[in-house]
């Protein structure tokens, strides 16, 4: 237990650092205000204002930490142990951003700075030059607790305070109250009530996680970790660390964080800003596919089939059937004569276009030009005596032919201009096209289940997330439908006159160029829906649930080959999940051998919950080893098996008990997806304020009591969880009386490992054998 003297010491330092932080904010505000009222006389002044204002606003954004704690730890180096050889035994407070006093003396160092690495990596065996590591628990700018760990020097001596108990464990940690053999402050933090958003994760990083976070930018880092091992913390922390370390590169190239569903993104969206980084793109896979709103859900059989890698070839074949010559000649009126577009001409043009590089819509223009030019030459030869200068005459005639309704209609039949949505809609709505494109790839039954009736308009279609991945694939094949057009902006003559842009350097030159572009006639930067934004680093959470077609969406957004992929194959719950990490990497085809790291310690999920769930994990994924827990909740999971007529009363009774036990924390009732609305109604009828967090009008995950589909619970955490009818969840994907399926058991495993404190099971149907 921390001494009052040490708490007071840290509180005094916290007050000093907060005052310095306020001074830094005031300086940034003054800079911003001075730029806002500055007199602008020319481009040089505009450039200066651009730089100053941008710098000030960015700094204010960095300094906005809200109610998050300013620092969370302190490291004391031994004499000559701080890596710089100055022999002073330096002390550093480690926090979410760097803070200096008015004289620019550092008070708090950024957690991403190299000197802070020892806070996470030091052990009793490898002290990394530390004499002491202190964990500081802060809430609402008040120091609540302090815990110290001491490390022996090269001679095995411990530099302890006079009143410390001088006895050490084998790992070099002090017993007797000053240290608990590990980060006790961390374990206390993990036992705090959930808030509905992912809590601050800086202080939860341990050695094995920190090594992953600080891995080089290049290449793929694959992280396998069971429940509570900090997979999400690793992915988000690594994104922030890379942005800090490679800012110049990644601010230009961008960082993308991909989550499994919108609920999960809402859960983590405040984490990166709390780490001092903003501007990161957060999205689901479907969210990366622009102009496609996901409003429907496929059956599991259809979802699995649409996610299969075979669909890439099916789409390519479907597009090839749309590139076809005319069967009959077409007459096109040109002036007072008729030009005949012969079927043979179109066959030759189509064959040549198929051999050309480029996407479908690009090659369509070549087909149109070739056919129109051929007809123009024929027309010109017939009326050569009336022609003007030959080249101009042929070119004008070709343009005239291309503008006729008859030629446009014929070209649309030969080589139609398509969008990704149109190609997929045409494919799924035409049994003959499905059969032709799926020949030797899809079975008759698969063709039958893929078919769906055509709609009059694309706006009427209820797309699914599997459709989104297929549309993305189709867009690569068809290409953009339009080219960017110049959007002229009013010029201001003379404003840049006399300004030498080469006189500026670095960020000032970049600002000068931006100002010059702002004042000039520019090209529209808006992307066609078939053009993709790429990123310098991509972090993917719950990657085990991505289908091969979704992985292809991700691969297209990869600019440099730098990825962080985290997940747990034991929690692969979607119909189209990858069968293994090797299968996933085969689809992504990394440019260099990936680095795989297994997280072996569960910091958040208590021992009682992991032990209770272990049999289900063995049945679902016998090759995987469960993580080792470091926490005990003090209560064993509860199983309440009742008669059907007693079910509603039992559910209400258990849920109330869990709410009371973890207040002011949060409780989740997890059930098979088809019964979410039923459970919400049952709980509300019993007087409990249960919400479906997907409801836009609800509090979402911030509500005290939520009802979740087991299929959508990946990555979320709650203080207490009530799992309803585990047998139904375990039978997910079963056909007839087949019984529990591996995917169903994995889904049940996910549901049971969501709590950080308490777990209960309520059922009136037979329990899976793993829970008996």
């Amino acid at each position: 237990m921390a001494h009052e003297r040490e708490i007071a010491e840290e509180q005094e330092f916290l007050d000093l650092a907060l005052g310095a932080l306020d001074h830094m904010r005031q300086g940034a505000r003054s800079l911003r205000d001075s730029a806002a009222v500055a007199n602008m006389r020319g481009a040089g002044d505009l450039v200066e204002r651009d730089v100053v204002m941008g710098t000030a606003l960015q700094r204010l954004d960095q300094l906005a930490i809200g109610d998050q704690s300013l620092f969370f730890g302190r490291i004391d180096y031994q004499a000559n142990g701080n890596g710089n050889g100055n022999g002073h035994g330096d002390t550093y407070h480690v926090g979410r951003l760097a803070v200096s006093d008015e004289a620019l003396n550092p008070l708090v160092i950024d957690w991403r700075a190299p000197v802070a690495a020892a806070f996470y990596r030091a052990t009793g065996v490898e002290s990394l030059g530390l004499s002491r590591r202190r964990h500081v628990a802060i809430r609402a700018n008040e120091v609540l607790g302090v815990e110290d760990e001491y490390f022996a020097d090269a001679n095995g001596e411990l530099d302890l305070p006079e009143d410390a108990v001088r006895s050490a464990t084998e790992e070099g940690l002090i017993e007797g109250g000053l240290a608990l053999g590990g980060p006790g402050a961390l374990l206390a933090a993990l036992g705090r009530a959930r808030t509905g958003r992912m809590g601050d994760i800086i202080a939860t990083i341990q050695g094995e996680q920190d090594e992953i976070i600080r891995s080089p930018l290049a290449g793929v880092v694959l992280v396998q970790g069971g429940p509570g091992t900090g997979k999400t913390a690793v992915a988000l922390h690594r994104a922030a660390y890379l942005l800090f370390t490679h800012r110049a590169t990644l601010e230009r190239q961008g960082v993308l964080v991909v989550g499994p569903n919108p609920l999960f993104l809402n859960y983590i969206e405040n984490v990166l800003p709390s780490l001092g980084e903003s501007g990161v793109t957060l999205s689901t896979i479907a969210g990366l596919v622009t102009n496609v709103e996901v409003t429907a859900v496929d059956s599991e059989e259809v979802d699995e089939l649409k996610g299969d890698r075979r669909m890439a070839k099916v789409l390519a074949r479907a597009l090839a059937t749309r590139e076809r010559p005319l069967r009959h000649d077409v007459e096109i009126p040109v002036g007072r004569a008729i030009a005949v577009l012969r079927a043979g001409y179109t066959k030759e043009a189509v064959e040549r276009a198929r051999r050309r590089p480029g996407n479908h819509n690009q090659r369509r223009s070549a087909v149109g030009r070739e056919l129109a030019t051929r007809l123009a030459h024929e027309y010109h030869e017939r009326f050569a005596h009336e022609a003007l200068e030959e080249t101009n005459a042929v070119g004008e005639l070709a343009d005239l032919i291309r503008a006729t309704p008859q030629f446009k209609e014929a070209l649309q039949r030969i080589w139609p201009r398509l969008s990704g949505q149109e190609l997929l809609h045409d494919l799924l709505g035409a049994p003959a096209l499905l059969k032709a494109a799926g020949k030797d790839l899809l079975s008759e039954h698969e063709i039958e289940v893929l078919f769906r009736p055509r709609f009059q308009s694309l706006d009427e279609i209820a797309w699914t997330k599997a459709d989104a991945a297929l549309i993305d694939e189709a867009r690569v094949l068809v290409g953009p439908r339009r080219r960017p057009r110049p959007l002229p902006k009013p010029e201001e003559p003379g404003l840049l006159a006399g300004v030498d842009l080469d006189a500026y350097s670095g960020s000032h030159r970049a600002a000068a160029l931006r100002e010059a572009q702002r004042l000039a006639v520019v090209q529209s930067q808006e992307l066609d829906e078939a053009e993709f934004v790429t990123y310098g680093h991509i972090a993917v959470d719950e990657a085990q649930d991505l289908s091969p077609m979704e992985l292809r969406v991700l691969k297209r957004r990869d600019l440099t080959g730098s990825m962080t992929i985290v997940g747990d194959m034991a929690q692969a719950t979607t119909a189209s999940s990858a069968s293994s990490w090797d299968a996933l990497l085969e689809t992504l085809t990394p440019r260099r051998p990936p680095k795989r790291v297994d997280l072996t310690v569960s910091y958040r999920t208590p021992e009682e919950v992991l032990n209770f769930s272990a049999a289900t994990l063995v049945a679902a994924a016998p090759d995987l080893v469960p993580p080792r827990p470091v926490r005990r909740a003090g209560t064993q999971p509860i199983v309440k098996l009742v008669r059907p007529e007693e079910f509603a009363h039992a559910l209400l009774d258990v849920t109330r008990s869990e709410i009371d036990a973890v207040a002011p924390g949060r409780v989740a009732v997890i059930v098979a997806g088809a019964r979410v609305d039923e459970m919400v109604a049952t709980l509300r009828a019993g007087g409990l304020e249960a919400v479906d967090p997907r409801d836009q009008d609800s509090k979402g995950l911030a509500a005290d009591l939520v009802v979740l589909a087991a299929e959508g619970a990946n990555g979320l955490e709650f203080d207490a969880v009530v799992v309803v009818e585990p047998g139904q969840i375990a039978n997910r994907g079963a056909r007839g009386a087949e019984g529990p399926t591996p995917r169903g058991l994995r889904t049940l495993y996910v549901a049971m490992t969501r709590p950080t404190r308490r777990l209960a099971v309520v059922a009136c149907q037979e329990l899976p054998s793993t829970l008996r």
Side-chain angles (χ1 to χ4, degrees), residues 505-746:
S505 61
S507 61
H508 291 74
R509 174 175 171 77
L513 290 172
R514 285 198 302 272
E515 193 64 28
Q517 292 166 356
R518 185 185 73 82
L519 297 172
V521 177
V522 297
Q523 290 275 57
S524 169
Q525 297 302 308
E526 182 181 0
L527 295 177
D528 184 88
E529 63 182 17
E531 297 173 300
F532 312 117
V533 176
T534 55
Y535 299 88
H537 182 76
I538 299 176
V540 192
D541 203 358
E542 305 296 341
Q544 76 280 349
D545 276 338
L546 297 182
S547 71
M549 296 306 296
E550 289 174 320
L551 290 169
R552 289 170 69 90
V553 174
L554 201 64
K555 180 177 173 60
R556 283 189 277 274
R557 272 69 182 179
D558 173 26
L559 176 64
T560 64
S562 175
M563 285 188 180
T564 303
I565 301 172
V566 302
D568 179 13
M569 276 298 161
Q571 300 182 58
T573 60
T574 62
S576 51
S577 300
S579 58
S580 66
W581 289 123
D582 288 341
L584 181 145
L585 292 170
E586 182 181 349
T587 301
L588 287 179
T589 58
R591 304 174 193 183
R592 59 181 69 192
K595 173 184 179 181
R596 172 169 172 167
V597 181
D598 286 44
L599 295 175
T600 59
V601 178
S602 177
Y603 298 101
R604 294 183 181 272
T605 309
E607 181 181 51
E608 296 89 341
V609 170
L610 285 177
N611 289 344
F612 182 80
S613 308
T616 301
L617 173 62
V618 170
D623 296 335
L624 292 177
V625 178
R628 294 179 290 109
V630 297
R631 301 175 55 235
R632 291 192 182 97
T635 58
Q636 293 296 327
I638 300 168
V639 178
K640 198 157 189 176
L641 184 61
V642 299
R643 293 191 296 270
E645 61 271 19
E646 299 172 338
F647 173 77
H649 177 76
L651 176 61
L652 288 165
D653 182 55
V654 170
T655 305
R656 285 195 186 98
S657 297
E658 296 304 316
I659 292 173
D660 293 341
V662 301
R666 297 181 308 119
V667 177
V669 174
I670 301 181
V671 65
R675 299 190 65 183
V676 169
D677 292 342
E678 176 193 346
M679 292 302 106
V680 170
T682 299
L683 293 168
R684 287 181 177 176
L688 296 177
E689 293 296 324
V691 302
D692 180 347
R694 298 171 297 180
D695 186 348
Q696 297 296 323
D697 297 327
S698 73
K699 294 182 180 179
L701 290 172
D704 294 334
L705 176 60
V706 299
V707 179
L708 287 176
E711 301 88 335
N714 295 65
L716 305 179
E717 291 174 348
F718 304 90
D719 296 276
V721 167
V722 179
V723 176
V724 176
E725 297 297 357
Q728 289 183 349
I729 298 173
N731 288 344
R732 182 185 179 196
R735 294 178 173 87
E738 181 181 330
T741 64
R743 183 155 54 89
L745 289 169
R746 291 195 295 268

Side-chain angles (χ1 to χ4, degrees), residues 32-44:
R32 175 201 62 191
D33 296 343
S34 64
V37 299
N39 292 324
M40 301 294 108
R41 297 182 179 179

Side-chain angles (χ1 to χ4, degrees), residues 217-230:
L217 173 63
V220 172
V221 177
L222 173 63
V223 182
Q224 157 70 37
T229 54

Side-chain angles (χ1 to χ4, degrees), residues 259-538:
N261 52 59
L263 204 60
F264 179 85
L265 295 181
N266 181 63
Y267 180 59
I268 67 170
E269 67 181 352
N270 71 327
V271 173
L272 282 166
S274 81
L275 297 180
E277 295 298 346
S278 57
V280 176
T281 300
L282 274 69
S283 181
T284 60
I285 292 292
L288 295 172
V289 185
T290 56
N291 298 334
V292 176
E293 183 179 1
V294 175
T295 58
V297 178
D298 284 315
S299 69
E300 295 199 348
E301 182 180 13
V302 173
D303 182 70
E304 182 176 7
L305 181 55
K306 287 182 177 178
D308 194 296
R309 70 177 68 237
R310 292 176 294 166
M311 291 302 296
K313 185 173 288 188
V314 171
L315 283 168
R317 286 182 177 180
L319 181 59
T321 66
R322 306 300 303 276
E323 302 165 352
R324 57 189 184 273
L326 294 175
R327 294 184 178 180
H328 305 287
D329 297 347
V330 173
E331 294 183 345
I332 299 172
V334 183
R336 66 177 184 273
I338 297 295
V340 179
L341 178 59
R342 303 192 181 282
Y345 296 171
T346 65
K347 181 179 180 181
E348 294 171 7
V350 167
E351 289 176 351
R352 276 191 290 270
R354 284 176 174 170
R355 294 194 294 267
R356 289 191 180 100
N359 57 56
H360 172 84
N361 287 333
Q362 284 177 330
R363 291 178 290 153
R364 181 184 192 272
S365 298
V367 172
R369 285 193 302 270
E370 178 180 336
L371 293 175
T373 301
R374 185 164 186 173
L375 293 182
H377 276 293
E378 287 185 353
Y379 184 95
H380 181 265
E381 290 172 2
R382 289 169 57 190
F383 300 98
H385 61 283
E386 298 181 9
L388 300 176
E389 197 278 321
E390 181 173 348
T391 302
N392 289 340
V394 171
E396 291 172 1
L397 280 170
D399 291 342
L400 181 62
I401 291 170
R402 292 179 69 187
T404 62
Q406 293 84 353
F407 185 87
K408 290 181 179 178
E409 181 183 349
L411 182 59
Q412 189 66 9
R413 288 159 52 193
I414 298 167
W415 201 288
R417 188 183 301 278
L418 293 170
S419 68
Q421 294 95 312
E422 289 169 335
L423 178 59
L424 181 63
H425 180 227
D426 292 345
L427 171 64
L428 299 183
L433 184 53
L434 270 172
K435 188 172 182 179
K439 183 180 180 181
D440 300 327
L441 287 174
L442 303 177
S443 67
E444 290 187 9
H445 174 71
E446 288 174 328
I447 291 172
E448 288 176 4
V449 298
L450 278 176
F451 170 76
R452 68 184 179 201
R454 289 182 57 83
F455 292 83
Q456 292 296 322
S457 167
L458 292 177
D459 295 335
E460 300 175 9
I461 302 175
W463 299 111
T464 67
K465 71 178 185 67
D467 287 335
L470 293 177
I471 289 170
D472 198 74
E473 185 78 26
R475 286 175 176 174
V476 174
L477 299 172
V478 300
R481 297 191 63 172
R482 58 178 174 81
R483 296 178 181 177
R485 296 181 178 179
L487 293 179
K489 291 190 176 182
E491 294 192 38
E492 301 180 42
L495 190 58
L496 291 176
V499 177
D500 181 11
L501 297 180
D502 291 330
Y504 298 94
S505 61
S507 61
H508 291 74
R509 174 175 171 77
L513 290 172
R514 285 198 302 272
E515 193 64 28
Q517 292 166 356
R518 185 185 73 82
L519 297 172
V521 177
V522 297
Q523 290 275 57
S524 169
Q525 297 302 308
E526 182 181 0
L527 295 177
D528 184 88
E529 63 182 17
E531 297 173 300
F532 312 117
V533 176
T534 55
Y535 299 88
H537 182 76
I538 299 176

